Coordinates of all heavy atoms in Angstrom, one line a residue:
M505 N -79.1 161.2 119.1 CA -78.2 162.2 118.7 C -77.2 161.7 117.7 O -76.6 160.7 117.8 CB -77.5 162.7 120.0 CG -76.5 163.8 119.8 SD -75.9 164.3 121.4 CE -74.4 165.0 120.9
K506 N -77.1 162.4 116.6 CA -76.2 162.0 115.5 C -74.9 162.7 115.7 O -74.8 163.9 116.0 CB -76.9 162.5 114.2 CG -76.1 162.0 113.0 CD -76.9 162.4 111.7 CE -76.1 162.0 110.5 NZ -76.8 162.4 109.3
K507 N -73.8 161.9 115.5 CA -72.5 162.4 115.6 C -71.8 162.2 114.3 O -71.7 161.1 113.7 CB -71.7 161.6 116.7 CG -70.4 162.2 117.0 CD -69.7 161.5 118.1 CE -68.3 162.1 118.3 NZ -67.6 161.3 119.3
N508 N -71.2 163.3 113.8 CA -70.5 163.2 112.5 C -69.1 162.9 112.8 O -68.4 163.4 113.7 CB -70.6 164.6 111.8 CG -72.0 164.9 111.3 OD1 -72.7 163.9 110.9 ND2 -72.3 166.1 111.2
I509 N -68.5 162.0 111.9 CA -67.1 161.7 112.0 C -66.3 162.5 111.0 O -66.7 162.5 109.8 CB -66.9 160.2 111.7 CG1 -67.7 159.3 112.7 CG2 -65.5 159.8 111.7 CD1 -67.7 157.8 112.4
S510 N -65.3 163.2 111.5 CA -64.5 164.0 110.6 C -63.7 163.2 109.7 O -63.4 162.0 110.0 CB -63.7 165.0 111.4 OG -62.6 164.2 112.0
R511 N -63.2 163.7 108.6 CA -62.3 163.0 107.7 C -61.0 162.7 108.4 O -60.5 161.6 108.2 CB -62.0 164.0 106.5 CG -61.2 163.3 105.5 CD -60.9 164.2 104.3 NE -62.2 164.3 103.6 CZ -62.3 165.0 102.5 NH1 -61.3 165.7 102.0 NH2 -63.4 165.1 101.9
R512 N -60.6 163.5 109.3 CA -59.3 163.3 110.1 C -59.5 162.0 111.0 O -58.7 161.2 111.1 CB -59.0 164.5 110.9 CG -57.7 164.3 111.6 CD -57.2 165.7 112.2 NE -55.9 165.5 112.8 CZ -55.6 165.7 114.0 NH1 -56.6 166.1 114.8 NH2 -54.4 165.5 114.5
Q513 N -60.7 162.0 111.7 CA -60.9 160.8 112.5 C -61.0 159.5 111.7 O -60.5 158.5 112.2 CB -62.2 161.0 113.3 CG -62.1 162.1 114.4 CD -63.5 162.4 115.0 OE1 -64.5 162.6 114.3 NE2 -63.5 162.5 116.3
L514 N -61.6 159.6 110.6 CA -61.7 158.4 109.7 C -60.3 158.0 109.2 O -60.0 156.8 109.2 CB -62.6 158.8 108.5 CG -63.0 157.6 107.6 CD1 -63.8 156.6 108.4 CD2 -63.8 158.1 106.4
L515 N -59.5 158.9 108.9 CA -58.1 158.6 108.5 C -57.3 157.9 109.6 O -56.6 156.9 109.4 CB -57.4 159.8 108.0 CG -57.7 160.2 106.6 CD1 -57.0 161.6 106.3 CD2 -57.2 159.2 105.6
I516 N -57.5 158.5 110.8 CA -56.8 157.9 112.0 C -57.3 156.5 112.2 O -56.5 155.6 112.4 CB -56.9 158.8 113.2 CG1 -56.1 160.1 113.0 CG2 -56.4 158.1 114.5 CD1 -56.4 161.2 114.0
A517 N -58.6 156.3 112.2 CA -59.1 155.0 112.5 C -58.7 154.0 111.4 O -58.3 152.9 111.8 CB -60.7 155.1 112.5
S518 N -58.7 154.4 110.2 CA -58.3 153.4 109.1 C -56.8 153.1 109.2 O -56.3 152.0 108.9 CB -58.6 153.9 107.7 OG -58.0 155.1 107.4
S519 N -56.0 154.1 109.6 CA -54.5 153.9 109.7 C -54.2 152.9 110.9 O -53.2 152.2 110.9 CB -53.7 155.2 109.9 OG -54.0 155.7 111.2
V520 N -55.1 152.8 111.9 CA -54.9 151.9 113.0 C -55.5 150.5 112.6 O -54.9 149.5 112.9 CB -55.6 152.4 114.3 CG1 -55.6 151.3 115.3 CG2 -54.9 153.7 114.7
A521 N -56.6 150.5 111.9 CA -57.3 149.3 111.6 C -56.6 148.4 110.5 O -56.5 147.2 110.7 CB -58.7 149.6 111.2
A522 N -56.0 149.1 109.5 CA -55.4 148.3 108.4 C -54.2 147.5 108.9 O -54.2 146.3 108.6 CB -55.0 149.3 107.3
P523 N -53.3 148.1 109.7 CA -52.2 147.2 110.1 C -52.7 146.1 111.1 O -52.1 145.0 111.1 CB -51.2 148.2 110.9 CG -51.6 149.5 110.3 CD -53.0 149.5 110.0
A524 N -53.7 146.4 111.9 CA -54.2 145.4 112.8 C -54.8 144.2 112.0 O -54.6 143.1 112.4 CB -55.2 146.0 113.7
L525 N -55.5 144.6 110.9 CA -56.1 143.5 110.1 C -55.0 142.7 109.5 O -55.1 141.4 109.4 CB -57.0 144.2 109.0 CG -57.7 143.2 108.1 CD1 -58.6 142.3 108.9 CD2 -58.4 143.9 107.0
L526 N -53.9 143.3 109.0 CA -52.8 142.6 108.4 C -52.2 141.7 109.4 O -51.8 140.5 109.1 CB -51.8 143.5 107.8 CG -52.2 144.2 106.5 CD1 -51.2 145.3 106.1 CD2 -52.4 143.2 105.4
L527 N -52.0 142.2 110.6 CA -51.3 141.4 111.7 C -52.2 140.2 112.0 O -51.7 139.1 112.2 CB -51.1 142.3 112.9 CG -50.4 141.6 114.1 CD1 -49.0 141.1 113.7 CD2 -50.3 142.6 115.3
S528 N -53.5 140.4 112.2 CA -54.3 139.3 112.5 C -54.3 138.2 111.4 O -54.4 137.0 111.7 CB -55.7 139.7 112.8 OG -56.4 140.2 111.6
T529 N -54.2 138.6 110.2 CA -54.1 137.7 109.1 C -52.9 136.9 109.1 O -52.8 135.7 108.9 CB -54.2 138.4 107.7 OG1 -55.4 139.2 107.7 CG2 -54.1 137.5 106.5
R530 N -51.7 137.5 109.5 CA -50.5 136.8 109.6 C -50.4 135.9 110.8 O -49.7 134.9 110.7 CB -49.3 137.8 109.7 CG -49.1 138.6 108.4 CD -47.8 139.3 108.4 NE -46.7 138.3 108.7 CZ -45.5 138.6 108.4 NH1 -45.1 139.7 108.0 NH2 -44.6 137.6 108.6
L531 N -51.2 136.2 111.8 CA -51.1 135.4 113.0 C -52.0 134.1 112.9 O -51.9 133.2 113.6 CB -51.6 136.2 114.2 CG -50.6 137.3 114.7 CD1 -51.3 138.1 115.8 CD2 -49.3 136.7 115.1
S532 N -52.9 134.2 111.9 CA -53.8 133.0 111.7 C -52.9 131.9 111.2 O -52.0 132.1 110.4 CB -54.9 133.3 110.8 OG -54.5 133.6 109.5
A533 N -53.3 130.6 111.5 CA -52.5 129.5 111.1 C -52.5 129.3 109.6 O -53.5 129.4 109.0 CB -53.0 128.3 111.8
A534 N -51.3 129.0 109.1 CA -51.2 128.6 107.7 C -51.7 127.2 107.5 O -51.8 126.4 108.4 CB -49.8 128.8 107.2
E535 N -51.8 126.8 106.3 CA -52.2 125.4 105.9 C -51.0 124.5 106.3 O -49.8 124.9 106.1 CB -52.4 125.3 104.4 CG -52.9 124.0 104.0 CD -53.1 124.0 102.4 OE1 -53.4 125.1 101.9 OE2 -53.0 122.9 101.9
K536 N -51.3 123.4 106.9 CA -50.3 122.4 107.3 C -49.6 121.8 106.0 O -50.4 121.5 105.1 CB -50.8 121.3 108.1 CG -51.2 121.8 109.5 CD -51.9 120.6 110.3 CE -52.4 121.1 111.6 NZ -53.2 120.1 112.3
L537 N -48.3 121.6 106.0 CA -47.6 121.0 104.9 C -48.0 119.5 104.9 O -47.9 118.8 105.9 CB -46.1 121.1 105.1 CG -45.3 120.4 104.1 CD1 -45.5 121.0 102.7 CD2 -43.8 120.5 104.5
D538 N -48.5 119.1 103.7 CA -48.8 117.7 103.5 C -47.5 116.9 103.2 O -46.8 117.3 102.3 CB -49.8 117.6 102.3 CG -50.3 116.2 102.1 OD1 -49.7 115.2 102.6 OD2 -51.3 116.1 101.4
H539 N -47.3 115.8 103.9 CA -46.1 115.0 103.6 C -46.0 114.5 102.2 O -45.0 114.1 101.7 CB -45.9 113.9 104.6 CG -46.9 112.8 104.5 ND1 -48.1 112.9 105.1 CD2 -46.8 111.6 103.9 CE1 -48.8 111.8 104.8 NE2 -48.0 111.0 104.1
A540 N -47.2 114.5 101.5 CA -47.3 114.0 100.1 C -47.0 115.1 99.1 O -46.9 114.8 97.9 CB -48.7 113.4 99.9
D541 N -46.8 116.3 99.6 CA -46.4 117.4 98.7 C -45.1 117.0 98.0 O -44.2 116.5 98.7 CB -46.2 118.7 99.6 CG -45.7 119.8 98.8 OD1 -44.5 119.9 98.6 OD2 -46.5 120.7 98.5
P542 N -45.0 117.2 96.7 CA -43.8 116.8 96.0 C -42.5 117.3 96.6 O -41.5 116.5 96.7 CB -44.0 117.4 94.6 CG -45.5 117.5 94.4 CD -46.0 117.8 95.8
Q543 N -42.5 118.6 97.0 CA -41.2 119.1 97.6 C -41.0 118.4 99.0 O -39.8 118.1 99.3 CB -41.3 120.6 97.8 CG -40.0 121.2 98.3 CD -40.1 122.7 98.5 OE1 -41.2 123.3 98.3 NE2 -39.0 123.3 98.9
A544 N -42.0 118.2 99.7 CA -41.9 117.6 101.0 C -41.4 116.2 100.9 O -40.5 115.7 101.6 CB -43.3 117.6 101.7
K545 N -41.9 115.5 99.9 CA -41.5 114.1 99.6 C -40.0 114.1 99.2 O -39.2 113.2 99.7 CB -42.3 113.4 98.5 CG -43.7 113.0 99.0 CD -44.5 112.3 97.9 CE -44.1 110.9 97.7 NZ -45.0 110.2 96.8
A546 N -39.6 115.0 98.4 CA -38.2 115.0 97.9 C -37.3 115.3 99.0 O -36.1 114.9 98.9 CB -38.1 116.1 96.8
L547 N -37.7 116.0 100.0 CA -36.8 116.3 101.1 C -37.0 115.4 102.3 O -36.4 115.6 103.4 CB -37.0 117.8 101.6 CG -36.6 118.8 100.5 CD1 -36.9 120.2 100.9 CD2 -35.2 118.7 100.1
G548 N -37.9 114.4 102.2 CA -38.1 113.4 103.3 C -38.9 114.0 104.4 O -38.7 113.4 105.6
Y549 N -39.7 115.0 104.3 CA -40.4 115.6 105.4 C -41.4 114.6 106.0 O -42.2 113.9 105.2 CB -41.2 116.8 104.9 CG -42.1 117.4 106.0 CD1 -41.6 118.0 107.1 CD2 -43.5 117.2 105.9 CE1 -42.5 118.5 108.1 CE2 -44.4 117.6 106.9 CZ -43.9 118.3 108.0 OH -44.7 118.7 109.0
V550 N -41.4 114.5 107.3 CA -42.4 113.7 108.0 C -42.9 114.6 109.2 O -42.2 115.4 109.7 CB -41.9 112.4 108.6 CG1 -41.6 111.4 107.4 CG2 -40.7 112.6 109.4
E551 N -44.2 114.3 109.6 CA -44.7 115.1 110.8 C -44.2 114.6 112.1 O -44.2 115.3 113.1 CB -46.2 115.1 110.8 CG -46.8 115.9 109.7 CD -48.3 116.2 110.0 OE1 -48.9 115.6 110.8 OE2 -48.8 117.1 109.3
N552 N -43.7 113.4 112.1 CA -43.1 112.9 113.4 C -41.7 112.4 113.1 O -41.5 111.4 112.4 CB -44.0 111.7 113.9 CG -43.5 111.2 115.2 OD1 -42.4 111.3 115.6 ND2 -44.4 110.5 115.9
A553 N -40.7 113.1 113.6 CA -39.3 112.8 113.4 C -38.9 111.4 113.7 O -37.9 110.8 113.2 CB -38.4 113.8 114.1
E554 N -39.7 110.7 114.6 CA -39.4 109.3 115.0 C -39.7 108.4 113.9 O -39.3 107.2 114.0 CB -40.2 109.0 116.3 CG -39.7 109.8 117.5 CD -40.5 109.5 118.7 OE1 -41.4 108.5 118.7 OE2 -40.3 110.1 119.8
H555 N -40.4 108.8 112.9 CA -40.8 107.9 111.8 C -39.9 108.1 110.5 O -40.3 107.6 109.5 CB -42.3 108.2 111.4 CG -43.2 107.8 112.5 ND1 -44.5 108.3 112.6 CD2 -43.1 107.1 113.7 CE1 -45.1 107.9 113.7 NE2 -44.3 107.2 114.3
V556 N -38.8 108.7 110.7 CA -37.9 108.9 109.5 C -37.3 107.6 109.2 O -36.8 106.8 110.1 CB -36.8 109.9 109.9 CG1 -35.8 110.0 108.7 CG2 -37.4 111.3 110.1
D557 N -37.3 107.2 107.9 CA -36.6 106.0 107.4 C -35.1 106.3 107.4 O -34.6 107.0 106.5 CB -37.2 105.7 106.0 CG -36.6 104.4 105.5 OD1 -35.5 104.0 105.9 OD2 -37.2 103.8 104.6
S558 N -34.4 105.7 108.4 CA -33.0 106.0 108.5 C -32.1 105.4 107.3 O -31.0 105.8 107.1 CB -32.4 105.4 109.8 OG -32.7 104.0 109.9
V559 N -32.7 104.5 106.6 CA -32.0 103.9 105.4 C -32.1 104.9 104.3 O -31.0 105.2 103.6 CB -32.6 102.6 105.0 CG1 -32.0 102.1 103.7 CG2 -32.5 101.5 106.1
L560 N -33.2 105.5 104.1 CA -33.4 106.6 103.0 C -32.7 107.9 103.4 O -32.2 108.6 102.6 CB -34.9 106.8 102.8 CG -35.6 105.8 102.0 CD1 -37.1 106.1 101.9 CD2 -35.1 105.7 100.6
W561 N -32.8 108.2 104.7 CA -32.3 109.5 105.2 C -31.3 109.3 106.3 O -31.5 109.5 107.5 CB -33.5 110.3 105.7 CG -34.6 110.4 104.7 CD1 -35.7 109.8 104.7 CD2 -34.5 111.2 103.5 NE1 -36.5 110.1 103.6 CE2 -35.7 111.0 102.8 CE3 -33.6 112.1 102.9 CZ2 -36.1 111.6 101.6 CZ3 -33.9 112.7 101.7 CH2 -35.1 112.4 101.1
P562 N -30.0 108.8 106.0 CA -29.0 108.5 107.0 C -28.5 109.7 107.8 O -27.9 109.5 108.9 CB -27.9 107.8 106.2 CG -28.1 108.3 104.8 CD -29.6 108.5 104.7
K563 N -28.7 110.9 107.3 CA -28.3 112.1 108.0 C -29.0 112.3 109.3 O -28.5 113.0 110.2 CB -28.4 113.3 107.0 CG -28.1 114.6 107.6 CD -28.4 115.7 106.6 CE -28.7 117.0 107.3 NZ -29.2 118.1 106.4
K564 N -30.2 111.8 109.4 CA -31.1 112.1 110.6 C -30.5 111.5 111.8 O -30.1 110.4 111.9 CB -32.5 111.4 110.3 CG -33.4 111.3 111.5 CD -34.0 112.6 111.9 CE -35.0 112.6 112.9 NZ -34.6 112.3 114.3
K565 N -30.4 112.4 112.9 CA -29.9 112.1 114.2 C -31.1 112.1 115.2 O -32.1 112.8 114.9 CB -28.9 113.1 114.7 CG -27.7 113.1 113.8 CD -26.8 111.9 113.9 CE -25.5 112.0 113.1 NZ -25.6 111.7 111.7
P566 N -31.1 111.3 116.2 CA -32.2 111.2 117.1 C -32.8 112.5 117.7 O -34.0 112.6 117.9 CB -31.7 110.3 118.3 CG -30.6 109.5 117.6 CD -30.0 110.4 116.6
D567 N -31.9 113.5 118.0 CA -32.4 114.7 118.6 C -32.9 115.8 117.6 O -33.3 116.8 118.0 CB -31.3 115.3 119.5 CG -30.1 115.6 118.7 OD1 -29.8 115.0 117.6 OD2 -29.3 116.5 119.2
Q568 N -32.9 115.5 116.3 CA -33.3 116.5 115.4 C -34.8 116.5 115.1 O -35.4 115.5 114.8 CB -32.5 116.2 114.0 CG -31.0 116.3 114.1 CD -30.4 115.9 112.8 OE1 -31.0 115.3 111.9 NE2 -29.1 116.1 112.7
T569 N -35.4 117.7 115.3 CA -36.8 117.9 114.9 C -36.9 119.3 114.4 O -35.9 120.2 114.5 CB -37.7 117.8 116.2 OG1 -37.4 118.9 117.0 CG2 -37.6 116.5 116.9
C570 N -38.0 119.6 113.8 CA -38.2 121.0 113.2 C -38.1 122.0 114.3 O -37.6 123.1 114.1 CB -39.6 121.1 112.6 SG -39.8 120.1 111.1
A571 N -38.5 121.7 115.5 CA -38.5 122.6 116.6 C -37.1 123.1 116.9 O -36.9 124.3 117.4 CB -39.1 122.0 117.9
N572 N -36.1 122.3 116.7 CA -34.7 122.8 116.9 C -33.9 123.0 115.6 O -32.7 123.0 115.6 CB -33.9 121.9 117.9 CG -33.8 120.4 117.4 OD1 -33.8 120.2 116.2 ND2 -33.7 119.5 118.3
C573 N -34.6 123.2 114.6 CA -34.0 123.5 113.3 C -33.9 125.0 113.1 O -34.8 125.8 113.4 CB -34.8 122.9 112.1 SG -34.3 123.3 110.5
A574 N -32.8 125.5 112.5 CA -32.6 126.9 112.3 C -33.6 127.5 111.3 O -33.8 128.7 111.4 CB -31.2 127.1 111.7
L575 N -34.3 126.7 110.5 CA -35.2 127.3 109.5 C -36.6 127.4 110.1 O -37.5 127.8 109.4 CB -35.2 126.4 108.3 CG -33.8 126.3 107.6 CD1 -33.7 125.3 106.6 CD2 -33.4 127.7 107.1
Y576 N -36.9 126.9 111.3 CA -38.2 126.9 111.9 C -38.4 128.1 112.8 O -37.5 128.4 113.6 CB -38.4 125.6 112.7 CG -39.7 125.4 113.3 CD1 -40.8 125.0 112.6 CD2 -39.8 125.6 114.7 CE1 -42.1 124.9 113.2 CE2 -41.1 125.4 115.3 CZ -42.2 125.0 114.6 OH -43.4 124.9 115.2
T577 N -39.5 128.8 112.6 CA -39.7 130.0 113.4 C -41.0 129.9 114.2 O -41.6 130.9 114.7 CB -39.8 131.2 112.5 OG1 -40.8 131.0 111.5 CG2 -38.5 131.5 111.9
G578 N -41.5 128.7 114.4 CA -42.8 128.5 115.2 C -42.5 128.2 116.6 O -41.4 128.2 117.1
A579 N -43.6 127.8 117.3 CA -43.5 127.4 118.7 C -42.9 126.0 118.9 O -42.8 125.3 117.9 CB -44.9 127.4 119.3
A580 N -42.5 125.7 120.1 CA -41.8 124.4 120.3 C -42.8 123.2 120.2 O -42.3 122.1 120.0 CB -41.2 124.4 121.7
T581 N -44.1 123.5 120.2 CA -45.0 122.4 120.0 C -46.0 122.8 118.9 O -46.1 124.0 118.6 CB -45.8 122.0 121.3 OG1 -46.5 123.2 121.7 CG2 -44.8 121.5 122.3
G582 N -46.7 121.9 118.4 CA -47.7 122.2 117.3 C -47.1 122.4 116.0 O -46.2 121.6 115.6
Y583 N -47.5 123.4 115.3 CA -47.1 123.7 113.9 C -46.6 125.1 113.8 O -47.0 126.0 114.5 CB -48.2 123.4 112.9 CG -48.6 122.0 112.8 CD1 -49.4 121.4 113.8 CD2 -48.1 121.2 111.8 CE1 -49.8 120.0 113.7 CE2 -48.5 119.8 111.7 CZ -49.3 119.3 112.7 OH -49.6 118.0 112.6
G584 N -45.7 125.3 112.8 CA -45.2 126.7 112.6 C -44.5 126.8 111.3 O -44.3 125.8 110.6
P585 N -44.1 128.0 110.9 CA -43.5 128.3 109.6 C -42.1 127.7 109.5 O -41.3 127.7 110.5 CB -43.5 129.8 109.6 CG -44.3 130.3 110.7 CD -44.4 129.3 111.7
C586 N -41.7 127.4 108.3 CA -40.4 126.9 107.9 C -40.1 127.7 106.6 O -40.9 127.7 105.7 CB -40.4 125.4 107.7 SG -38.9 124.9 106.8
S587 N -38.9 128.2 106.6 CA -38.5 129.0 105.4 C -38.4 128.2 104.1 O -38.4 128.7 103.0 CB -37.3 129.9 105.7 OG -36.2 129.0 106.0
I588 N -38.2 126.9 104.3 CA -38.1 126.1 103.1 C -39.5 125.9 102.4 O -39.6 125.8 101.2 CB -37.6 124.7 103.5 CG1 -36.1 124.8 103.9 CG2 -37.7 123.7 102.3 CD1 -35.1 125.2 102.9
F589 N -40.5 125.8 103.3 CA -41.9 125.5 102.8 C -42.7 126.8 103.0 O -43.6 126.8 103.9 CB -42.5 124.3 103.4 CG -41.7 123.1 103.2 CD1 -40.9 122.5 104.3 CD2 -41.7 122.4 102.0 CE1 -40.1 121.4 104.1 CE2 -41.0 121.2 101.8 CZ -40.2 120.7 102.9
A590 N -42.5 127.8 102.2 CA -43.2 129.1 102.4 C -44.7 128.9 102.3 O -45.2 128.2 101.4 CB -42.7 130.1 101.3
G591 N -45.4 129.6 103.2 CA -46.8 129.6 103.1 C -47.5 128.4 103.8 O -48.7 128.3 103.8
K592 N -46.7 127.4 104.2 CA -47.2 126.2 104.9 C -46.6 126.1 106.3 O -45.5 126.6 106.5 CB -46.8 125.0 104.1 CG -47.4 125.0 102.6 CD -48.8 124.6 102.6 CE -49.4 124.7 101.2 NZ -49.1 123.6 100.3
D593 N -47.3 125.5 107.2 CA -46.8 125.2 108.5 C -46.3 123.8 108.6 O -46.9 122.9 108.1 CB -47.8 125.4 109.6 CG -48.0 126.9 109.9 OD1 -47.2 127.7 109.4 OD2 -48.9 127.2 110.6
V594 N -45.1 123.6 109.2 CA -44.6 122.2 109.4 C -44.8 121.9 110.9 O -44.9 122.7 111.8 CB -43.1 122.1 109.0 CG1 -43.0 122.4 107.6 CG2 -42.2 123.0 109.9
A595 N -44.7 120.6 111.2 CA -44.9 120.1 112.6 C -43.6 120.4 113.4 O -42.5 120.1 112.9 CB -45.2 118.6 112.6
A596 N -43.7 120.9 114.6 CA -42.6 121.1 115.5 C -41.9 119.8 115.7 O -40.7 119.7 115.8 CB -43.0 121.7 116.8
A597 N -42.7 118.7 115.7 CA -42.1 117.3 116.0 C -41.6 116.7 114.7 O -41.2 115.6 114.7 CB -43.2 116.5 116.6
G598 N -41.7 117.4 113.6 CA -41.3 116.9 112.2 C -39.8 116.9 111.9 O -39.0 117.3 112.8
W599 N -39.5 116.6 110.7 CA -38.1 116.6 110.3 C -38.1 116.5 108.8 O -39.0 116.0 108.1 CB -37.4 115.4 110.8 CG -35.9 115.3 110.5 CD1 -34.9 115.9 111.2 CD2 -35.3 114.7 109.4 NE1 -33.7 115.6 110.5 CE2 -33.9 114.9 109.4 CE3 -35.8 113.9 108.3 CZ2 -33.0 114.4 108.5 CZ3 -34.9 113.4 107.3 CH2 -33.6 113.7 107.4
C600 N -37.0 117.1 108.2 CA -36.7 116.9 106.8 C -35.2 116.9 106.6 O -34.5 117.3 107.5 CB -37.4 117.9 105.8 SG -36.5 119.4 105.5
N601 N -34.7 116.5 105.4 CA -33.3 116.4 105.2 C -32.5 117.7 105.1 O -31.3 117.7 105.0 CB -33.1 115.6 103.9 CG -31.7 115.0 103.9 OD1 -31.2 114.4 104.9 ND2 -31.1 115.0 102.7
V602 N -33.3 118.8 105.2 CA -32.6 120.1 105.2 C -32.3 120.6 106.6 O -31.6 121.6 106.8 CB -33.5 121.2 104.4 CG1 -32.8 122.5 104.4 CG2 -33.8 120.7 103.0
W603 N -32.6 119.8 107.6 CA -32.5 120.2 109.0 C -31.1 120.8 109.2 O -30.1 120.2 108.7 CB -32.6 119.0 109.9 CG -32.6 119.3 111.4 CD1 -33.6 119.7 112.2 CD2 -31.4 119.4 112.2 NE1 -33.1 120.0 113.4 CE2 -31.8 119.9 113.5 CE3 -30.0 119.2 111.9 CZ2 -30.9 120.1 114.5 CZ3 -29.1 119.4 113.0 CH2 -29.6 119.8 114.3
A604 N -31.0 121.9 109.9 CA -29.8 122.5 110.3 C -29.9 123.0 111.7 O -31.0 123.5 112.1 CB -29.5 123.7 109.4
P605 N -28.8 123.0 112.5 CA -28.9 123.4 114.0 C -29.2 124.9 114.1 O -28.7 125.7 113.3 CB -27.6 123.0 114.5 CG -26.7 123.0 113.4 CD -27.5 122.6 112.2
K606 N -30.0 125.2 115.1 CA -30.2 126.6 115.4 C -28.8 127.2 115.9 O -28.1 126.4 116.6 CB -31.2 126.8 116.5 CG -32.6 126.6 116.1 CD -33.6 127.0 117.1 CE -35.1 126.8 116.8 NZ -35.6 127.7 115.8
P607 N -28.5 128.4 115.5 CA -27.2 129.0 115.9 C -27.1 129.2 117.5 O -28.1 129.2 118.1 CB -27.1 130.3 115.2 CG -28.5 130.6 114.7 CD -29.3 129.3 114.7
Ligands
LIG408 S1 -36.0 122.7 107.1 FE1 -36.0 122.3 109.3 S2 -37.9 123.2 110.0 FE2 -38.1 123.0 107.8 S3 -39.1 121.0 107.5 FE3 -36.9 120.7 107.4 S4 -36.3 120.1 109.5 FE4 -38.3 121.0 109.6

């Protein structure tokens, strides 16, 4: 049995599918920030905050990590977005010299 899809049904289906597709694209993990990236190097980014060179980066305090930085919007573990490094994910356990406390 053949069923014809009306133009209205097609429009409704596409209006639901398009935002869902965009959302799924945004939810997929971005590329991880490479610590060798020039901007990352300039800001002292490391994936493990315990490995920060305190001579080069004296501002670093023991409790500072990306996970508790105001610019980080990811989960408490793993990787997530940082507004300084658009389009890349930083490590929740990482750190850079732009670190700022969450409000
Ligand atoms: S700005 Fe904050 S979240 Fe982004 S890399 Fe630096 S410490 Fe991590």
